[in-house]
Structure formats: C-alpha cells, structure tokens
C-alpha cells in the first residue's frame, strides 16, 4: 500500500473556484498514486507566508519522471 503524509498551516487562504481546486488536487493525488511504487510515501504540503501571498502546494512522490514527449 501507499502512504500519504499531508501537512498544512492551520489556515490557508486560496483564491479560485472551489470545484476546480478540488479537481486539481484529486488529479494530482490520483496520478501520484498511479505512478508511484506500491510501498511509496507520497508527501503533500500546503504553505502560505501571509494571507496576501499565494498558497503553495507541493506534492512529492518517488515515481520516475515522465519523458518530455509525454508532457503535452
């Protein structure tokens, strides 16, 4: 099985369409799980310096990088 380690500040403010943000997060996690080895640890981190700064979402997984030809 795979493990998801998630961390975030207590409050994150993000501007955007809620439904689209959910789709983005779901797609990123689905892909991380699909392409990572069975015993992988996937890390999701949300950070924001101040309420006015952008929210930064970092997703790390041990899956191999895709070749440039598959990034279209």
């Amino acid at each position: 099985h795979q493990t998801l380690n998630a961390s975030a500040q207590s409050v994150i403010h993000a501007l955007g369409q809620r439904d689209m943000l959910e789709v983005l997060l779901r797609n990123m996690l689905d892909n991380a799980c699909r392409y990572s080895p069975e015993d992988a640890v996937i890390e999701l981190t949300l950070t924001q310096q101040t309420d006015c700064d952008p929210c930064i979402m970092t997703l790390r997984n041990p899956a191999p990088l895709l070749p440039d030809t598959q990034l279209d």
Side-chain angles (χ1 to χ4, degrees):
H1 74 282
Q2 296 164 328
T3 302
L4 174 63
N5 291 336
S7 64
Q9 295 169 306
S10 59
V11 176
I12 296 287
H13 298 275
L15 296 175
Q17 296 177 357
R18 181 181 181 152
D19 293 343
M20 297 307 293
L21 292 171
E22 288 177 8
V23 168
L24 170 68
L25 182 57
R26 188 175 329 113
N27 285 344
M28 289 180 66
L29 289 172
D30 285 348
N31 285 338
C33 291
R34 180 177 300 122
Y35 296 109
S36 292
E38 183 64 27
D39 60 347
V41 175
I42 298 166
E43 297 179 11
L44 174 66
T45 306
L46 297 174
T47 58
Q48 187 175 40
Q49 297 298 319
T50 69
D51 290 350
C52 297
D53 290 329
C55 172
I56 299 172
M57 179 171 54
T58 305
L59 183 67
R60 296 177 192 261
N61 67 319
L65 295 176
L66 292 174
D68 289 343
T69 56
Q70 293 184 358
L71 296 178
D72 291 336

